[in-house]
Amino acid sequence: MVIKILPNDKGSPAGKLADAELHFTEGELNGLKLLGFAVWERRAGPGRNVTFPARTYTVNGQSRSFALLRPVGDEHTQDRVRDLILQAYAEFVAEAAVAG
């Protein structure tokens, strides 16, 4: 799997740093990509956060979201993906600083 970082050059919405895609390079998902991840600056305090692909829907006038990527068993599985995306973003920023 390769993580592709797409910087948010528009500056909108506020706090959104980049989009991220998971590109699968082996196995049954080879040649496919999973979209919908985003890297955000934390609202309170230093650091960054990653949001996962989700679909919004409305129930009784209230907006909710349905996560499209969920763990099968171990709830900490998403933490590994989140950490990999944050690591890929940090590497992207470091490479951009050297190039720029």
Side-chain angles (χ1 to χ4, degrees), residues 43-100:
R43 290 182 186 172
R48 298 182 177 115
N49 187 36
V50 175
T51 55
F52 281 63
R55 179 174 298 252
T56 57
Y57 63 98
T58 305
V59 174
N60 297 326
Q62 187 177 28
S63 181
R64 298 182 183 185
S65 78
F66 178 82
L68 297 175
L69 183 66
R70 294 182 275 172
V72 174
D74 182 12
E75 294 180 15
H76 299 290
T77 305
Q78 286 183 325
D79 294 340
R80 288 190 315 221
V81 174
R82 180 175 286 110
D83 292 344
L84 287 170
I85 291 172
L86 289 172
Q87 179 183 350
Y89 180 76
E91 291 170 5
F92 175 83
V93 168
E95 289 174 14
V98 169

